[in-house]
Amino acid sequence: MSNNTVIESLKQTLAEEYTLQLKTQNFHWNVEGPLFYSLHKLFEEQYNTISEQVDATAEVLRALNSKAPGSFTEFKALSSIQEAPTDKLNANQMIEMLSKDHTTLANAQKERLEKAEEAGEISAVTLYEDLITFHEKAAWMIRSHRS
């Protein structure tokens, strides 16, 4: 794998993580119902963690001498994760969406990890290992709130 392949994967990762951060923060602000307190706290913990990962991803891109995408236009074009719908959602809909997104990202990061390993990009390998661990745990934590 080439360095360019890893860079393009990292750009997509940055866009997806940022989109998920925004979606999670949106749900943190708007969750209602009997699960309000536990989900409100969980979503806050998760969007804060994702924020750190967004920054770490951008730093790996910069270390590889690439510009990090940083606009909603770029993120929307690069991300496989969809923004939260503008409709009012209930807690169970939020749970299902975020659980699916975290699982999707864990699987995508596994493929990207292999590319980074083949290219010998150790900083990207470490980043992807951390992301996989986070997304698998986050999906489990969110799924545990299903009613």
Side-chain angles (χ1 to χ4, degrees), residues 2-102:
S2 73
N3 191 10
N4 287 341
T5 301
V6 174
I7 287 171
E8 292 310 309
S9 292
L10 285 163
K11 288 179 180 180
Q12 187 173 6
T13 298
L14 179 62
E16 289 166 342
E17 295 295 332
Y18 195 93
T19 303
L20 183 59
Q21 175 189 336
L22 180 61
K23 183 187 256 184
T24 305
Q25 194 164 24
N26 176 328
F27 291 172
H28 163 78
W29 292 330
N30 291 299
V31 68
E32 295 178 344
L35 297 175
F36 167 79
Y37 185 76
S38 61
L39 286 176
H40 183 75
K41 296 300 280 179
L42 178 62
F43 294 162
E44 181 176 23
E45 290 170 15
Q46 290 184 347
Y47 77 69
N48 283 327
T49 300
I50 297 168
S51 176
E52 293 171 9
Q53 293 168 333
V54 164
D55 196 54
T57 305
E59 289 172 358
V60 172
L61 275 164
R62 295 300 300 136
L64 294 174
N65 205 29
S66 174
K67 179 188 175 292
S71 71
F72 288 121
T73 301
E74 290 173 295
F75 291 157
K76 191 166 187 145
L78 288 166
S79 181
S80 67
I81 300 299
Q82 299 299 309
E83 294 177 320
T86 55
D87 305 346
K88 183 176 179 175
L89 302 174
N90 65 43
N92 285 325
Q93 291 170 308
M94 293 175 182
I95 288 167
E96 291 308 314
M97 282 183 191
L98 290 180
S99 174
K100 180 180 175 238
D101 289 345
H102 282 288

Side-chain angles (χ1 to χ4, degrees), residues 101-121:
D101 289 345
H102 282 288
T103 300
T104 297
L105 288 181
N107 292 332
Q109 307 317 8
K110 289 174 185 175
E111 292 176 19
R112 294 171 188 162
L113 170 64
E114 290 179 19
K115 291 177 187 177
E117 287 173 333
E118 290 173 21
E121 291 295 347

